[in-house]
Amino acid sequence: MTTTDIYSHGVPAEDDFGYVQAIRSGELIHVSGQLALDEAGAFRHPDDFGAQLELTYANFDRILDHYGATRNQIVSQVLYVVGLQRYAQAMAEGNRAYFGDHRPVSTAVGITELTFPGQVVEISAIVDTTLPR
């Protein structure tokens, strides 16, 4: 049986833009692009790639916690990065720090801009809850 479970952080942007943070369909969780929003929905750390990446992954953890999932169950991620060549090393280090020995498939896309001034990274993902936690 397929079940659907929708998760929101409860931030204004969800209503403003008409989306949810994640949706579970069966055993997969599809995670919307996460970014450096605090719990009130305010964008943080303009132009600071490392701090944005850290807060973005913390938002992933909030979603994973909701579903009882872990980082080890993330099977795919797409990183959208303004200034990809400039931040490639920091992106690699942050990715290794977040995932440890786990290795999801990953795509990094260099882009010219994101939603907020000073936003340099956004990450979407797919989580497979059938994998070991």
Side-chain angles (χ1 to χ4, degrees):
M1 175 181 198
T2 301
T3 60
T4 302
D5 178 11
I6 294 171
Y7 174 79
S8 293
H9 289 314
V11 298
E14 294 165 352
D15 287 331
D16 294 346
F17 290 94
Y19 73 100
V20 294
Q21 299 297 331
I23 186 167
R24 180 178 182 153
S25 181
E27 301 303 328
L28 296 179
I29 303 165
H30 301 269
V31 182
S32 290
Q34 296 298 294
L35 56 138
L37 294 179
D38 65 16
E39 290 189 16
F43 175 68
R44 298 288 181 222
H45 313 297
D47 300 312
D48 184 337
F49 183 86
Q52 284 186 39
L53 189 63
E54 185 176 325
L55 184 51
T56 297
Y57 279 137
N59 286 330
F60 265 100
D61 287 340
R62 290 172 55 202
I63 292 168
L64 294 170
D65 287 347
H66 169 79
Y67 290 107
T70 70
R71 301 169 186 186
N72 292 333
Q73 294 170 306
I74 296 174
V75 294
S76 175
Q77 69 171 351
V78 179
L79 298 93
Y80 303 92
V81 181
V82 177
L84 180 58
Q85 291 179 356
R86 177 179 45 228
Y87 296 121
Q89 185 62 38
M91 180 181 65
E93 290 169 4
N95 197 58
R96 285 191 307 269
Y98 182 72
F99 287 107
D101 292 333
H102 176 61
R103 297 289 186 261
V105 297
S106 184
T107 300
V109 180
I111 58 174
T112 58
E113 64 183 3
L114 287 162
T115 304
F116 295 98
Q119 182 185 352
V120 293
V121 64
E122 186 165 324
I123 307 171
S124 62
I126 298 173
V127 180
D128 183 344
T129 61
T130 65
L131 296 176
R133 296 175 36 84

